[in-house]
Amino acid sequence: MYEHDVLIIGGGLAGLRAAVEVTRAGVDVAVISKVHPVRSHSNAAQGGINAPLTDRGDDWQGHAYDTIKGSDFLADQDAVEIMSQEAGEAVLELERMGVIFSRGEDGKLGTRAFGGQKVARTFFVGAITGSAILHVLFEQSLKLGLNVYEEWFVTKLIMEDGVCRGVVALDIKTGEMHTIKAKAVIMAAGGAGRVFEPSTNALICTGDGLALAYRVGVPMMDMEMIQYHPTTLARTGILMSEAARGEGAHLLNAEGERFMQKYAPDYMELASRDVVSRAEQTEINEGRGFDGNVLLDLTHLGREFIEHRLGYLQEVSVEFLGIDMAEKPVPVQPGMHYIMGGIKTTVDGATNVPGLYAAGECANVSVHGANRLGANSLLDTVVFGRRSAVHALDYIKGVGPASRAEEDLAPEKARLQALLDRPPGERIATVRDDMARGITKGIGVNRDQASMEGALENLVNIKSRLPGVSVENKGKVFNTDLMFALELEFMVDCADTIVAGALARKESRGAHYRTDMTERDDENWLKHTLVYKDDAQEHGTRVETSPVTITQWEPVKRVY
Ligand SMILES: Cc1cc2nc3c(=O)[nH]c(=O)nc-3n(C[C@H](O)[C@H](O)[C@H](O)COP(=O)(O)OP(=O)(O)OC[C@H]3O[C@@H](n4cnc5c(N)ncnc54)[C@H](O)[C@@H]3O)c2cc1C
């Protein structure tokens, strides 16, 4: 049995930013992560992080409004105001900690343009922004004395009288299970991209944090809001960063036309992601694509510029499709990229369960609403990672030691043993693939009642097959097969909430585009969907709604 004052689940940007804050306060804290922290998905973020810096005439209101418009007015405006107001300091602080941001000719921190924003306010480190920030935060927190449970897998949250008091976890290296007690737990376990196939997300993005919180009664908010990124490489699903369009790349259809002219004459390729993905899908569906793709054209930018500013994209294009972007356009298509929905929290990261906080992609504050702007996620992780730590530090002052944490260990051990003891049955990968393809088909760029019901039907079938899934590897040391089985169960919980949210929302808003209900309906649907776990219901879910917080920007029609 282990014990800390604060336990953070996740060593990505949200978890490590929270860790820096807690270690600075001199409080005993640990991060637990199923992979080495710098292998978290945050490491893959390429494009950058937004901040409205006043030294170049930008202001927080501009960033806040672009974010709210991008969200199709579903974001809570009080939360967005906080994020935009704290952004400048958050990014400058990263710089002071040691992140070497790219600079412009004038020696000042450089910016690039990103979608849905009229001002170039995205700060970046070449095409490795996430990696650069992650390494610096990891260094800083180790220097300050952070404890790390590296390659430990959380299987369950420990609850005592309705309060979260720690976790049960599997030490992947030994196969032993342990409890870790804590006065407060901060969930920073990242997104759920692998519920979809294909996805730009790493294989570890399996929604564990969302499912762990959902299982102890926390509502999942706006889970139907799934971001399809407009430019993922044909056949591979690899992300081609928005930085390409930010630096001037064009999108072309089979007629050689810059088709965004028809859909977003003002912003063109830099309209918000949902708008661009939908435009591409329309071109493809109406026969003006190339085998399910459109073209991303950088040829006019010149080889030197491409290799200097977008070198990583050039590498990916050459390596995977053999296409030199300086010579030829590359085929791209919309691909699942990010989940706007997640664990409902306050602006201080608190959930409805005392002692349980959440931040980063697994949380929904809500600053992204129905569509996230590019480069706002990294910002979300550092701003709300820090805030959840500040609030948790305050909360633990009034909390004594947990008493019954040990009681959860034996049943959890037995549950995992039962998984190992199953007779040979279906392979995990087969069931996972069937689930993910069913969800992607039903909850795509476009959806309608029939497609969503199809996704539900598929999910019912998947759930009936779950008990027959077997874990082939019976060993103790590094049993990734056992982890995949646990992850599959987490993903199925996430899929439940995504389908329930999608079927509930009877309008089109942002990423939730219904071809059978194409209009936004502010009168009835300017609200969040909340999905609760409820085993008394037919599909195990119960949907409620809650109002959207409007401070100063009344919803208007969204035009780009
Ligand atoms: C390819 C790609 C490029 C992107 N580019 C950008 C960009 O340029 N700008 C931007 O703003 N956003 C970008 N995003 C989105 C952004 O990177 C993520 O939303 C953000 O980094 C998520 O950070 P996080 O800390 O919430 O989670 P993650 O970085 O995903 O970390 C999750 C952590 O939780 C741990 N964990 C999960 N489950 C368990 C468990 N059961 N037990 C123990 N530990 C667990 C993992 O080990 C990991 O340490 C990009 C995303 C992708 C996929």
Side-chain angles (χ1 to χ4, degrees):
M1 199 261 308
Y2 299 89
E3 190 163 2
H4 299 280
D5 286 333
V6 178
L7 180 66
I8 300 168
I9 306 176
L13 286 179
L16 291 183
R17 183 61 191 84
V20 165
E21 204 63 23
V22 183
T23 48
R24 275 180 182 164
V27 167
D28 174 36
V29 54
V31 158
I32 182 166
S33 175
K34 66 181 178 181
V35 295
H36 185 284
V38 300
R39 294 190 60 221
S40 304
H41 187 61
S42 293
N43 191 51
Q46 306 166 4
I49 177 166
N50 289 332
L53 290 196
T54 47
D55 73 338
R56 52 206 71 201
D58 203 356
D59 56 35
W60 73 263
Q61 288 90 342
H63 176 250
Y65 184 69
D66 286 345
T67 300
I68 289 161
K69 180 180 173 189
S71 84
D72 216 351
F73 295 89
L74 188 64
D76 284 323
Q77 297 184 5
D78 55 340
V80 175
E81 287 184 358
I82 287 173
M83 182 171 79
S84 299
Q85 284 166 357
E86 294 188 4
E89 180 50 30
V91 168
L92 292 178
E93 188 192 34
L94 291 173
E95 213 250 341
R96 290 197 294 270
M97 283 186 201
V99 178
I100 305 169
F101 283 106
S102 298
R103 288 178 180 266
E105 296 288 320
D106 56 1
K108 283 185 174 180
L109 296 185
T111 50
R112 56 168 51 127
F114 251 58
Q117 312 185 65
K118 272 280 158 184
V119 180
R121 55 166 79 95
T122 304
F123 295 88
F124 61 100
V125 184
I128 56 159
T129 312
S131 174
I133 303 177
L134 193 62
H135 280 81
V136 165
L137 286 180
F138 191 51
E139 265 164 38
Q140 292 290 318
S141 47
L142 285 185
K143 186 178 83 182
L144 289 160
L146 175 70
N147 303 289
V148 184
Y149 295 86
E150 188 183 304
E151 295 179 329
W152 280 50
F153 186 101
V154 176
T155 64
K156 187 179 196 285
L157 295 179
I158 296 171
M159 296 291 290
E160 197 172 300
D161 302 325
V163 176
C164 183
R165 298 309 313 261
V167 304
V168 182
L170 172 75
D171 178 351
I172 303 169
K173 292 184 288 296
T174 63
E176 295 301 327
M177 295 197 65
H178 303 273
T179 53
I180 308 176
K181 289 207 261 183
K183 292 179 181 167
V185 172
I186 301 177
M187 185 64 79
R194 302 313 309 190
V195 173
F196 294 76
E197 182 60 45
S199 162
T200 64
N201 287 198
L203 293 172
I204 52 174
C205 300
T206 47
D208 308 7
L210 293 109
L212 286 163
Y214 176 63
R215 290 176 187 177
V216 298
V218 179
M220 299 294 118
M221 185 159 90
D222 300 329
M223 292 297 283
E224 64 279 16
M225 298 305 177
I226 303 296
Q227 179 158 84
Y228 284 84
H229 194 289
T231 54
T232 67
L233 198 64
R235 294 204 293 277
T236 65
I238 299 174
L239 180 73
M240 298 296 274
S241 170
E242 190 164 303
R245 283 170 292 134
E247 302 281 8
H250 297 162
L251 287 169
L252 306 176
N253 63 15
E255 286 156 18
E257 179 194 7
R258 274 180 80 186
F259 57 85
M260 284 311 298
Q261 179 71 42
K262 290 182 283 188
Y263 304 91
D266 205 12
Y267 283 67
M268 297 292 286
E269 283 85 357
L270 287 178
S272 68
R273 288 179 176 173
D274 60 322
V275 171
V276 181
S277 285
R278 212 147 44 235
E280 291 178 357
Q281 200 60 53
T282 306
E283 293 296 306
I284 293 164
N285 292 352
E286 293 178 358
R288 292 183 296 278
F290 300 85
D291 198 17
N293 300 289
V294 294
L295 294 179
L296 180 69
D297 183 11
L298 284 79
T299 51
H300 56 285
L301 298 178
R303 178 176 305 281
E304 201 192 315
F305 184 89
I306 293 171
E307 284 173 359
H308 178 59
R309 303 275 290 205
L310 301 163
Y312 174 73
L313 299 185
Q314 169 78 326
E315 255 172 57
V316 168
S317 174
V318 170
E319 226 160 88
F320 287 87
L321 296 190
I323 295 178
D324 173 355
M325 295 199 306
E327 301 281 331
K328 267 175 66 181
V330 279
V332 293
Q333 58 183 213
M336 190 283 170
H337 181 56
Y338 183 86
I339 178 155
M340 273 75 73
I343 300 168
K344 177 177 166 52
T345 71
T346 67
V347 292
D348 294 315
T351 69
N352 62 333
V353 168
L356 181 62
Y357 294 79
E361 190 166 339
C362 68
N364 187 351
V365 182
S366 118
V367 287
H368 309 303
N371 171 69
R372 169 175 77 85
L373 293 187
N376 260 358
S377 173
L378 295 191
L379 179 60
D380 170 8
T381 63
V382 290
V383 167
F384 293 100
R386 187 189 75 82
R387 291 181 68 91
S388 60
V390 169
H391 203 261
L393 282 168
D394 195 41
Y395 167 84
I396 61 170
K397 287 179 192 151
V399 179
S403 55
R404 60 165 291 269
E406 279 313 281
E407 291 167 34
D408 277 350
L409 187 57
E412 202 52 6
K413 271 187 179 168
R415 182 173 78 93
L416 265 63
Q417 192 58 49
L419 263 175
L420 289 168
D421 291 344
R422 279 186 193 162
E426 263 204 288
R427 302 200 63 183
I428 299 164
T430 312
V431 180
R432 185 182 61 210
D433 205 50
D434 287 354
M435 174 211 58
R437 290 192 190 277
I439 294 288
T440 309
K441 188 160 170 243
I443 318 286
V445 174
N446 297 326
R447 47 196 80 166
D448 61 16
Q449 188 68 21
S451 79
M452 295 186 288
E453 281 171 6
L456 177 62
E457 208 175 296
N458 183 61
L459 198 51
V460 170
N461 170 274
I462 295 293
K463 286 199 263 185
S464 72
R465 286 158 62 190
L466 268 189
V469 170
S470 67
V471 178
E472 286 163 26
N473 178 357
K474 309 290 179 195
K476 276 203 153 252
V477 177
F478 242 94
N479 189 341
T480 47
D481 217 23
L482 175 62
M483 275 166 56
F484 293 157
L486 296 166
E487 287 174 344
L488 175 60
E489 292 178 352
F490 287 142
M491 286 193 279
V492 168
D493 280 358
C494 291
D496 262 342
T497 64
I498 291 166
V499 172
L503 278 164
R505 188 173 289 280
K506 307 271 187 253
E507 63 159 356
S508 282
R509 182 183 298 271
H512 182 67
Y513 187 78
R514 296 185 57 142
T515 51
D516 53 353
M517 289 178 191
T518 55
E519 294 301 311
R520 193 175 86 193
D521 176 1
D522 286 337
E523 200 174 316
N524 298 302
W525 280 103
L526 185 59
K527 47 193 179 191
H528 301 293
T529 57
L530 300 177
V531 182
Y532 290 84
K533 184 166 168 57
D534 185 347
D535 293 330
Q537 306 294 320
E538 188 190 354
H539 297 294
T541 54
R542 184 180 78 250
V543 184
E544 296 179 6
T545 60
S546 70
V548 172
T549 307
I550 305 284
T551 56
Q552 45 177 318
W553 295 283
E554 283 304 318
V556 292
K557 191 170 163 53
R558 200 165 62 128
V559 182
Y560 283 104

